[in-house]
Amino acid sequence: MANEKLKLMIVDDEYEIRQGLRSFDYSAFGIEVSDDCENGLFALKALELAPADILVTDIRMPLMDGLELAEKVAARYPHIKIIVLSGYDDFEYAKKCMKHGALDYLLKPLDFEEYEKALAEAARLIDREKDVQERAAVLERKAKLSAHHLRRKFLRDLLQRAMTDEAIELESAFSEVMLEENGEYAVCLLRLDSYPDRPRGVGDKEWNLILFTLDNLMQDLWDEQGMGYHEVDDKGQISLILTNPDEVAELKRSPEHLRARMERIVLGLKRFRGLLKSHMSYVMGPTVAGPGRIRLSNREAGALFHAPSAREEEEQAASEAREETIGGELERENGHRLIEEAKRFVEENYDRTITLDDVARHVHLNASYLSFLFKEMTGQKYIDYLILYRIEKAKSLLKQTNYKIHEIGERVGYENPRYFTLVFKKYAKQSPVEYRNAFYQAESGGR
């Protein structure tokens, strides 16, 4: 990447000027000319096929002038640095260009010293932005690792111990696990035949690689297929939580339906059997109502393997629901004010990762109490409000911009494009692509 040259596009309706700008020596700035076009319309089309880092454009051109081109490029490709050329010493032109994101406004005939300064500044800004992006990527990787650990802990708790509805709602918001309060669920277990012992001849390094491989495979074969969530324990048992309502309904009608899917998953793991030195078996627990009973399906599935099931100590729901005593009741008016402030915080920060704890700190409340108050005041869970707000923003972007789906997902707070698509489809009943296509079809049909 360090040796990769920056791409520059030239747009001018005069052939001689395009050739003159092409002949300039850009090598000192780490720049090469990637394309030249005779008007803004052709330039936009070319940018769709081959992106550029720097755009040098004339103002006065047929079909689409430089001002309109600058406006569209700034909206669609905000990373591109724009240098505008003009034969008119017009302050209003300069202001409009700067408004649309132009880095500099140079007069013709071109002063090449000024042109060199503009190119140097463009290259400097691009290098700085790349440094920022690299640092952000490091922070993002750390955040994703942290989110992975949070999700893994929550799923283990969900599978193994009794949890109150409030605790489930709170932890699901933290770990971005979507569970419906009145939904139905089932747990499927996959085990090595040697479970709970590690297969013979497998060292620590090899075993950790196996667990890592199993975790990534199940992410592809289960989670990202919209089936639900998975967890791989330290001994290689895979717990699959079935959350897809259509699949749960099909399982209740015909257990063979899910069995066929499980057989395909086991088949997909066959290529690792030589490495594992052990075959894999699977069982399915019963369908249960509500996320708080997922552990019961998991326990029944474990019993089917004739393994001694762990005796879980039932916790008192009433005491867990009130882990902290809330001193006094807030007046309803004050409660509404706090919830409106919480909503404003969400609306101002939805485009990044925010947790219920972040919102709670902003309004100076305990996260557990804010969760209770939010539902009490709005009749809606905090996580549902956040997701629906993001989905509405995503719909607007799908209708009003040409951003790619993954770019829209990032702009509404979802770094993982597949997860964004799953969430969008769950709440909008259409994938983002289907929603955009339906909108454009309706628009074209209305004309």
Side-chain angles (χ1 to χ4, degrees), residues 37 76 113 120 122 173 227-228 232 252-253 258 352 371-372:
C37 302
R76 298 181 189 181
E113 287 189 8
M227 297 295 291
V232 181
K252 291 174 73 175
R253 284 194 296 269
L258 191 62
R352 65 178 181 86
S371 174
F372 161 78

Side-chain angles (χ1 to χ4, degrees), residues 304-321:
L304 292 174
F305 272 127
H306 306 291
S309 57
R311 290 296 174 186
E312 300 169 325
E313 198 174 302
E314 295 292 339
E315 300 173 4
Q316 296 295 323
S319 62
E320 277 199 348

Side-chain angles (χ1 to χ4, degrees), residues 88-155:
Y88 302 88
D89 189 2
D90 189 325
F91 182 63
E92 288 304 315
Y93 270 122
K95 284 202 302 184
K96 288 179 181 178
C97 290
M98 295 306 176
K99 179 182 176 183
H100 296 318
L103 177 65
D104 212 336
Y105 180 92
L106 305 177
L107 293 176
K108 295 178 181 179
L110 193 59
D111 182 330
F112 280 95
E113 287 189 8
E114 292 297 317
Y115 188 49
E116 287 180 355
K117 288 179 183 177
L119 292 173
E121 177 65 6
R124 186 187 69 80
L125 288 173
I126 292 169
D127 285 342
R128 188 175 70 182
E129 288 170 8
K130 285 183 177 179
D131 287 341
V132 170
Q133 288 169 0
E134 287 174 4
R135 286 196 295 271
V138 171
L139 293 174
E140 182 184 337
R141 286 195 294 272
K142 289 181 178 179
K144 285 182 177 177
L145 185 61
S146 175
H148 177 76
H149 287 312
L150 279 174
R151 178 172 292 193
R152 189 177 184 194
K153 178 186 179 302
F154 173 53
L155 292 175

Side-chain angles (χ1 to χ4, degrees), residues 285-304:
T287 302
V288 295
R293 299 178 67 83
I294 286 174
R295 65 190 177 85
L296 302 179
S297 182
N298 180 55
R299 187 168 66 187
E300 290 300 315
L304 292 174

Side-chain angles (χ1 to χ4, degrees), residues 106-373:
L106 305 177
L107 293 176
K108 295 178 181 179
L110 193 59
D111 182 330
F112 280 95
E113 287 189 8
E114 292 297 317
Y115 188 49
E116 287 180 355
K117 288 179 183 177
L119 292 173
E121 177 65 6
R124 186 187 69 80
L125 288 173
I126 292 169
D127 285 342
R128 188 175 70 182
E129 288 170 8
K130 285 183 177 179
D131 287 341
V132 170
Q133 288 169 0
E134 287 174 4
R135 286 196 295 271
V138 171
L139 293 174
E140 182 184 337
R141 286 195 294 272
K142 289 181 178 179
K144 285 182 177 177
L145 185 61
S146 175
H148 177 76
H149 287 312
L150 279 174
R151 178 172 292 193
R152 189 177 184 194
K153 178 186 179 302
F154 173 53
L155 292 175
R156 284 189 172 184
D157 287 346
L158 201 62
L159 288 161
Q160 296 171 6
R161 71 179 183 87
M163 299 179 70
T164 65
D165 291 342
E166 289 81 2
I168 290 172
E169 180 180 349
L170 188 64
E171 291 195 34
S172 65
F174 282 144
S175 55
E176 291 195 349
V177 171
M178 293 190 299
L179 298 172
E180 297 289 344
E181 187 176 351
N182 300 317
E184 291 189 305
Y185 306 94
V187 174
C188 307
L189 298 181
L190 287 85
R191 281 184 178 178
L192 301 170
D193 289 350
S194 60
Y195 188 91
D197 300 320
R198 185 191 302 183
R200 285 186 183 180
V202 178
D204 289 345
K205 185 175 180 181
E206 186 181 17
W207 183 242
N208 288 332
L209 177 60
I210 289 170
L211 295 179
F212 176 79
T213 302
L214 289 174
D215 186 46
N216 280 275
L217 278 171
M218 297 319 304
Q219 179 72 25
D220 292 336
L221 295 171
W222 189 260
D223 298 45
E224 294 189 0
Q225 299 301 316
M227 297 295 291
Y229 302 95
H230 81 280
E231 214 289 302
V232 181
D233 74 12
D234 294 337
K235 294 180 179 179
Q237 173 172 280
I238 302 169
S239 302
L240 303 175
I241 304 175
L242 179 64
T243 67
N244 185 305
D246 295 333
E247 295 287 340
V248 171
E250 192 62 37
L251 171 62
K252 291 174 73 175
R253 284 194 296 269
S254 171
E256 294 303 322
H257 172 76
L258 191 62
R259 285 198 179 95
R261 183 179 289 275
M262 295 300 297
E263 291 290 353
R264 289 197 295 272
I265 290 175
V266 172
L267 191 65
L269 297 172
K270 266 189 174 180
R271 65 178 182 270
F272 292 97
R273 284 183 175 172
L275 176 64
L276 294 172
K277 302 178 179 66
S278 176
H279 291 288
M280 296 198 79
S281 304
Y282 72 90
V283 294
M284 291 179 291
T287 302
V288 295
R293 299 178 67 83
I294 286 174
R295 65 190 177 85
L296 302 179
S297 182
N298 180 55
R299 187 168 66 187
E300 290 300 315
L304 292 174
F305 272 127
H306 306 291
S309 57
R311 290 296 174 186
E312 300 169 325
E313 198 174 302
E314 295 292 339
E315 300 173 4
Q316 296 295 323
S319 62
E320 277 199 348
R322 296 169 180 81
E323 289 177 356
E324 295 183 10
T325 302
I326 300 167
E329 293 183 354
L330 290 172
E331 294 288 339
R332 193 160 188 81
E333 182 181 346
N334 188 44
H336 279 300
R337 181 185 62 77
L338 289 169
I339 295 306
E340 288 305 311
E341 181 61 31
K343 285 182 176 180
R344 277 194 295 275
F345 182 83
V346 168
E347 292 162 9
E348 291 169 2
N349 297 277
Y350 70 91
D351 57 345
R352 65 178 181 86
T353 300
I354 53 173
T355 66
L356 182 60
D357 207 35
D358 294 330
V359 184
R361 279 197 297 270
H362 180 74
V363 296
H364 308 292
L365 286 179
N366 171 274
S368 182
Y369 182 61
L370 175 60
S371 174
F372 161 78
L373 188 63

